[in-house]
């Protein structure tokens, strides 16, 4: 249990909370990397997923793409990027994490849109809705819970995966884990691990709250 | 490691000179993956069956597995390392935990999908709880269970690489070595590619196995 004690001591050392290398600045860096990569992935992947779901095409390709990306280790993408002009550091982390998050967002957007009852779509068209109206007023609100679930999974997984960036010179809370391991001061490693885990769980709870808040009233309880 | 001037993405020379290293890393990778999936399946199946029988267990079980899943793999390996040592055991424990959620969730979905009238009919034929489970429920749930095993296998192959942090990352070991070796591209790229190929091969093998095991599901999925 002495590592837990070491971790406790480490967390309570004010020196570890100051400066560029302190917990707050690493935490901020971690959040910034997460935000940039999820937003970048979302800007590209969500419209594509929504559109494919709307026209109800490309299902097998979407599924195959998401399954294939599961097999690509983020560590590999990060190291490969380091040998290209992208280099390493935060920019490379964001790029690699966006690549990692995009298929998750794409798949959930597609599945959500595709899951809208075809009879409902038929009925809306019958009522004279234009494609745009159908998309914005019927399909998107119904698909929203799954879209939100996709974003939630992506954020949590990116927070978790961002730690790996530290192995190849990136920043964020992973730095603590890595540093503790390489100097065999496991207290720091354990503290870093707990901080990241805590961040992931807090993010998950916060996003679950947001999801409940944005779900249309009539659909509450549907998922 | 000689870094030849052009430092190409792929180099047969690298593969030839380092055949031993590559093969042993691959072997570690396969062993860890197979052990993980087998152990996780042996733990997840009974848990899922139990959660199906005892409704109140379901929430806590999925909840705990879900929270464990949100913990970053690197953090998990790192936090485990001081206790379970630097080595394969630490990686194995971590990987099993990650595979559990996928497997429990899929098995539950499969068991939930057994139609009530099928159960009713089996009960009418005099099936007891054990026969019901083995001859009716599990076979019907099998496609969902197998899908879970495929997902777990593929993501385990990718996660093994993170084990590099405690010295047991299989191919990840060589990927990171290439990074530390002045960005030796051929080493990084060859081993990354091997990772993806390994995942694809295992996935195809499992797909084949699941087609053989569930002939009735063919043509539907």
């Amino acid at each position: 249990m002495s590592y837990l004690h070491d971790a406790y001591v480490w967390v309570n050392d004010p020196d570890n909370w100051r400066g560029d290398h302190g917990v707050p600045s690493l935490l901020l860096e971690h959040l910034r990397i997460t935000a940039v990569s999820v937003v970048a992935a979302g800007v590209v992947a969500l419209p594509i997923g929504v559109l494919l779901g709307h026209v109800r095409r490309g299902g097998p390709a979407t599924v195959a793409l998401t399954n294939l990306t599961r097999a690509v280790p983020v560590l590999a993408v990060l190291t490969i990027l380091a040998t290209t002009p992208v280099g390493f550091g935060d920019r490379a982390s964001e790029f690699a994490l966006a690549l990692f998050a995009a298929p998750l967002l794409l798949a959930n957007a597609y599945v959500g849109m595709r899951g809208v009852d075809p009879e409902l779509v038929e009925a809306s068209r019958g009522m004279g809705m234009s494609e745009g109206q159908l998309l914005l007023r019927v399909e998107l609100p119904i698909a929203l819970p799954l879209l939100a679930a996709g974003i939630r999974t992506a954020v949590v997984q990116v927070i978790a995966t961002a730690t790996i960036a530290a192995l190849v010179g990136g920043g964020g809370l992973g730095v603590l884990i890595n540093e503790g391991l390489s100097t065999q001061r496991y207290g720091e490693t354990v503290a870093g691990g707990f901080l990241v885990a805590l961040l992931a769980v807090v993010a998950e709870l916060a996003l679950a709250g947001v999801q409940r808040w944005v779900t249309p009233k009539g659909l509450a309880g549907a998922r | 490691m000689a870094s030849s001037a052009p430092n190409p993405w792929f180099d047969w020379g690298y593969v030839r000179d380092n055949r031993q290293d590559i093969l042993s890393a691959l072997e570690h990778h396969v062993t860890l993956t197979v052990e993980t999936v087998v152990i996780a399946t042996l733990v997840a199946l009974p848990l899922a069956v139990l959660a199906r029988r005892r409704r109140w267990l379901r929430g806590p079980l999925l909840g705990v597995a879900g929270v464990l899943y949100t913990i970053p793999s690197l953090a998990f390996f790192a936090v485990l390392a001081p206790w379970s040592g630097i080595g394969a055991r630490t990686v194995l424990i971590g990987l099993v935990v990650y595979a559990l959620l996928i497997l429990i969730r899929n098995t539950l979905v499969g068991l939930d999908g057994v139609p009530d009238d099928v159960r009713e009919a089996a009960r009418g034929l005099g099936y007891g709880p054990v026969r019901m489970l083995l001859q009716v429920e599990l076979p019907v749930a099998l496609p969902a269970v197998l899908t879970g095993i495929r997902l777990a296998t593929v993501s385990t192959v990718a996660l093994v690489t993170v084990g590099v942090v405690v010295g047991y990352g299989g191919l990840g070991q060589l990927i990171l070595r290439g990074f530390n070796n002045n960005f030796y591209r051929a080493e990084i790229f060859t081993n990354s590619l091997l990772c993806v190929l390994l995942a694809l091969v295992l996935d195809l093998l499992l797909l084949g196995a699941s087609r053989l095991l569930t002939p009735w599901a063919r043509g539907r999925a």
Side-chain angles (χ1 to χ4, degrees):
Chain A
M1 284 295 119
S2 76
Y3 296 120
L4 278 185
H5 180 73
D6 292 352
Y8 182 78
V9 170
W10 190 91
V11 168
N12 279 297
D13 185 346
D15 274 349
N16 295 326
W17 290 76
R18 274 199 287 259
D20 281 352
H21 197 66
V23 171
S25 67
L26 289 177
L27 183 76
L28 274 181
E29 193 177 22
H30 205 99
L31 284 175
R32 206 193 55 231
I33 294 173
T34 305
V36 170
S37 46
V38 173
V39 169
V43 167
V44 179
L46 288 178
I48 298 177
V50 166
L51 220 62
L52 285 177
H54 175 69
V55 298
R56 296 176 178 258
R57 292 246 167 78
T62 310
V63 173
L65 178 74
T66 40
N67 283 347
L68 188 69
T69 51
R70 253 173 202 279
V72 183
V74 177
L75 181 68
V77 179
L78 278 169
T79 35
I80 288 175
L81 280 178
T83 71
T84 66
V86 183
F88 59 105
D90 286 358
R91 192 58 46 193
S93 309
E94 285 155 6
F95 199 82
L97 291 168
L99 281 179
F100 166 78
L104 271 172
L105 295 171
L106 178 73
N108 268 49
Y110 176 80
V111 172
M113 292 294 286
R114 190 66 215 256
V116 177
D117 189 348
E119 287 187 24
L120 211 63
V121 175
E122 195 96 347
S124 310
R125 285 213 176 98
M127 284 169 61
M129 279 192 181
S130 69
E131 289 301 299
Q133 282 173 323
L134 172 65
L135 192 75
L136 289 177
R137 297 223 203 131
V138 181
E139 290 181 311
L140 265 179
I142 295 179
L144 202 60
L146 259 186
L147 270 170
I151 295 172
R152 208 166 120 187
T153 319
V155 168
V156 172
Q157 300 228 345
V158 166
I159 287 180
T161 314
T163 48
I164 297 171
L167 285 178
V168 290
L173 289 168
V175 168
L176 301 176
I177 297 174
N178 210 20
E179 202 173 72
L181 278 172
S182 57
T183 57
Q184 300 201 331
R185 283 191 213 122
Y186 293 125
E188 184 178 356
T189 297
V190 174
F194 275 123
L195 283 174
V196 184
L198 193 68
L199 180 62
V201 173
V202 168
E204 164 75 10
L205 290 176
L207 289 170
V210 174
Q211 184 181 351
R212 195 162 303 154
W213 185 58
V214 297
T215 304
K217 287 267 178 333
L219 289 166
R223 204 187 140 83
Chain B
M1 194 76 37
S3 54
S4 48
N7 193 1
W9 286 105
F10 190 80
D11 181 4
W12 276 116
Y14 164 75
V15 179
R16 209 173 37 235
D17 295 345
N18 296 275
R19 217 182 45 204
Q20 275 315 318
D21 280 4
I22 297 174
L23 282 180
S24 83
L26 188 64
E27 194 196 316
H28 278 159
H29 214 109
V30 174
T31 314
L32 272 171
T33 306
V34 172
E35 281 175 352
T36 299
V37 174
V38 169
I39 296 174
T41 308
L42 290 179
V43 176
L45 274 183
L47 280 178
V49 168
L50 200 67
R52 167 86 205 161
R53 295 274 149 100
R54 306 259 178 281
R55 284 268 151 197
W56 59 269
L57 258 176
R58 201 186 176 98
L61 191 65
L62 285 177
V64 170
V67 168
L68 286 174
Y69 197 73
T70 57
I71 300 175
S73 51
L74 182 68
F76 204 52
F77 293 149
V79 171
L80 276 175
W83 285 285
S84 54
I86 298 281
R89 195 163 37 138
T90 301
V91 181
L92 194 61
I93 297 173
L95 291 173
V96 166
V97 166
Y98 285 106
L100 275 183
L101 177 72
I102 304 177
L103 289 170
I104 292 177
R105 209 193 261 152
N106 268 52
T107 310
L108 271 175
V109 168
L111 289 173
D112 284 345
V114 180
D116 279 334
D117 42 356
V118 171
R119 264 183 241 272
E120 203 67 29
R123 216 169 281 133
L125 286 166
Y127 277 46
V130 176
R131 264 183 86 196
M132 171 86 90
L133 178 67
L134 293 179
Q135 298 188 351
V136 179
E137 291 176 312
L138 280 183
V140 175
L142 201 57
V145 177
L146 289 168
T147 308
I149 291 180
R150 282 177 61 195
L151 279 178
T153 305
V154 171
S155 43
T156 301
V157 170
L159 270 182
V160 167
T161 55
V162 182
V164 73
V165 70
V166 289
Y168 255 84
L171 294 165
Q173 218 74 29
L174 300 184
I175 295 175
L176 201 66
R177 191 172 79 186
F179 175 80
N180 290 331
N181 257 328
N182 213 0
F183 308 125
Y184 185 30
R185 274 187 191 161
E187 182 160 37
I188 297 172
F189 192 69
T190 308
N191 292 295
S192 306
L193 199 65
L194 271 177
C195 254
V196 179
L197 283 179
L198 176 63
L200 285 180
V201 167
L202 290 178
D203 195 42
L204 284 177
L205 283 177
L206 284 169
L207 176 66
S210 73
R211 286 184 146 236
L212 285 177
L213 286 171
T214 59
W216 63 88
R218 251 178 257 165
R220 260 197 288 152

